[in-house]
Amino acid sequence: MSKCIFIKKCLAFCLALLLCGLPVSIYASNETAQTAALPEQKISDTALPEQKISDTLYAEFARLEAQGKNMANEKIPVWIWYKDINQTQVDNIVKTRTGLTAENAAVDYAMPSPALLNSLQNEEPGSQAQMQAYLAATAQARALEAQRADTLIMTRREVAREQYNVKSAESAEIIEEVNLDADDIIFKSQYAPVVIAEMTKSEIAAIAKNNYIEKIEIYEEPVIETADEFSESPFKETLKIPDIRDTVGLYGENVKVGIADDGRVEGTHSEFENSNITYLGNEQTGSHATLMARIICGENGIAPDANCYSTNYGLETIEELLSYGVQLINISIIYTYIYGSYSQYDAWFDHLVSQHSVTIVCAVGNDATTNPYVASPALANNVISVGAYDDNGTPQNYSDDILNATSRYDQGTGVSKPDLVSLRTISYGGTSAATAVTTGIIALMLELKPSLAYQPQAIKAILLASCQRKVQNPAGVAAETMVQGLTERQGAGAVDVWNAICIISQGQYGYGTFSGAEEARYFVQPPYGASNMNVSVAWLRNNTASGSHNSVSNVTAGTQHNINLQVYRGETLAGSSALANSSTEMAYIPLSSTSTQYKLRLYKADTTNTESVRYAYAWSTDNMRYNESASTTPQDEPIDGFFYIRNQNNGQYLTVNESTGQVTSAPFSGGRNQQWIIGKTDSYGYTTIKTRSLTYPGNLSRAASGNNAVIDQDTEYLVYFSMFSSTGAHSITHGMQGIAYVHLQLVDGAFQWATYGAPTNFQWHFERVGYQKGDVNLDGSLTVADATLIQQYALEMVTFNDDQLYLADLDNSGTITILDATLLQKLIMGLL
C-alpha cells in the first residue's frame, strides 16, 4: 500500500518561510559513519553483519525499548537497499531494441554566425528573416537529436524498470519470508534498488542476514514546506532572456520538464492556456506549483514552449515523471526535518540522476536566519542545488544585487552546497523561485543541445562555469568573491544564461570518464577583451559494475569521490580548488595575453581509488560571444576550429613529426604540430583536418599505397565525425571518392585508417585551441591590424597560411573578400 507524504504547510501568501525542527539530522552522515562504534543495544539472537544496519536504526531500537515498547510487535519503517541490477546488461538490451547507444545518439548542427547575431541585436533590416531561415534550416537536425536522445533515455528507463521489477520481486520474496503483510510495504521503487517497509526488530534481523540485502536504514516520512509569495518583477531582463530570444530564438521547445510540488499546476490559470502541460498525480492543485510553472513554462516564463509534466510531490510521482520521459525535474520544496547530512532520500536522488539521465534541480531551503542547514534533497551529490538572490528591481544594475538572507548554506556533514545562486524573480520569493529560474535556463540549454540530457554532470559544469560574479552578501556577512572559487553561501556564484549558451555554442566544455589517479585536459584561451576565466568541474556519484558484469553480485554502490582541480597556464599553476567534501570544483583565474595555453588537471585525493568516475568540465571568460559552427547540415557532430586531438586508448595526441612528416602519437607538447584546423569544405557537412605544422603543412589523409595516416599537401581529404556520448570522444571517418568507409585509429602503435578495431582505438577527444574568427595575426585580440591584413589579402597584397585562411573567413563563404574585412571592422567598432 502506498503512503502519501504529509504536507505540513501549503502555500498561502506568506512573506517568509519559518522552518521547524532542531538543526540536528536523524540520519547517518555517510557510509563510513555507520561503521563506527554502535550503541549497546544489538540484535543478540544471531550473528549479524552489523554494518548493514545503520547507527540511527540501532538508536531507534534503543529509544523504543527505553519507552517500554513491545519490540516483538512494534513496526519500524525502514529503507531496505538491495543489490543493484546489472547496468551494462541494461545498455545491451537497449541497443538490441533500438539500435541506439550513448555512442551514436548525438547530432550536431550549425550555430548562427556572429554577423547575423549582431545584426539581430542592432535590429538591422532583414535580420529577422535570416534568423527564421536559420531556424528552419537546422530544425531537422535539432529535431533528430531530440528524438534520438528521447528514444534512448525512455528505452533505457523502460528496460531498467523491467529489471528493477524483477529484482524488487526477489527482494519481496526475502521480505515475505518474515511474513510481512502487503500493507507493510510503503514504497517499492521502479528505478532504484530500494524498498521501504514497516518491520519489527526481529524481521529486520532476519533479512539483514541475507547476502542480497546491502543496507537497512530508518525511514521517517518527511514534512514538506514551501514558501514564496507572488509579485511580479522584471526578472527576464536581469537574466538577459530577451537577448537569448532575439539572438538565438530559444524558448524551450520539445524539452520535457517535470514539476513535483505541493500539488498539480492550476490548469485554469490564464498563463497556461496555450502551453503544453500534462497533469499527473492526484487532483490536488497547489498555488506554489502554479507559481513555479509560471516561471518555468508559463506564457511569460523562461521556456514557454517546453512540455511540462505537473504532479504532486512524492517518491512514486517522481518516478512516474521518469516514465513519461522527462529530462529535467524541478523540486522547489524541501524536507523540513532532513537537513545537514546525507540521507537515504539523497542517495535515492543520486541514483536517479546517475542511472537514468535526468537533471534534477533543488532548492536549498529557507530560512537561514533560523536554520542554516541545507535541506534534503538538495544535499544529494548529483542534483543542482540552488540558493537565491534579489535584483532589487533594477535589472540593468547588478551592483545592488544581494543574496537573500533566507537562503540556506550550511551543509553540515553533507556534500558542499549550494552549487550556485539564481534570481528569485518575485518579491518575497526565495530559493523556490530561484530553482524554477535555473530549471528554465536548463530547458533553453537542452533546446540548443538536446544530447546534453544524457550528461547531467555536463549541464552542472556548464552552469557553474557560466558564473562570473558573486552578489552582495547580507549585512554582517563577509563578502564572497569569484577568486575564492566555490564559497559557502553562493557556491560558484550567480548563474548566467547568456554565458551558458555561449559555452555550448563555442564548445567550451567536455566530459568523459577516468579511473586512474588523475586526468589531464588541454585548451588554449586567448583573452579577446576578457580579464578572467572560470574553470569548473562536476562529477557523478553513481553505482558501478565490476568484474565480468555477468551477475548482480558484481554491481556495487559507488562512493563519494574526492576530486581536486588544478589549472596550469603553461607550466605555472594559475589556480586550484580542493574542497574536502564536494561534487564540484571551481578555479577563477586571470587571463594572460602572452601565455594562453592551459592544462586542466583532475586528481583523486585517494590515489588508490580506481573506481570509474563520470565527470565534465567547462570554462567561460568574463567577455563571452555567441559563436557559430562551420556546418549547416545535420551530420553527426561537425566540428570546426583549432584543436588538439587526443586518442582515448593511449591518451597521447595526434602529432606531425617535424623531422619526417609522419603522423604519429606523442605526449602533449602544445606545439603547432599537435594542433589541427577543422573546417567545412562542402555542402554535405564533410570537413578537412589540416595540420598547423609549418614544416609539413597539408591535410590528414591516407597513403596512396596503404592505410597509413599521412599528411597530403595537395589534395583535400574529406572526413566526418560521429560522437561517443558516453565518453565525449568522436570517431573520424573517411569515405569519399569511392573509397570504403574507414576510421582513424590506433593500430599496433601507429595511426592508420581501418574499418574495424577496439572501440577505444578510434575514439578521439577534441580539446579546443580557442582562436576566434578575425584574429588573423593570432595575438588574442580583434583589432584594426587584423582587418587591415584581411583587406591586404583580398587585394592580393599578402599571402596567408592555412590557419589565417580559416580565421579570415568571417562569413564562412569559403573565400576571403573585402566583405570579411568589413564584418571585422563592424565587430571592432561595436556595430555588430
Side-chain angles (χ1 to χ4, degrees), residues 175-188:
I175 294 173
E176 287 172 4
E177 292 177 3
V178 294
N179 299 317
L180 284 188
D181 294 331
D183 289 349
D184 291 325
I185 304 297
I186 297 173
F187 170 67
K188 183 176 69 174

Side-chain angles (χ1 to χ4, degrees), residues 302 361 384 386 420-422 433-443 463 495:
I302 294 173
V361 192
I384 297 170
V386 183
L420 50 85
V421 296
S422 189
T435 299
V437 166
T438 307
T439 299
I441 290 172
I442 297 171
L463 287 176
V495 65

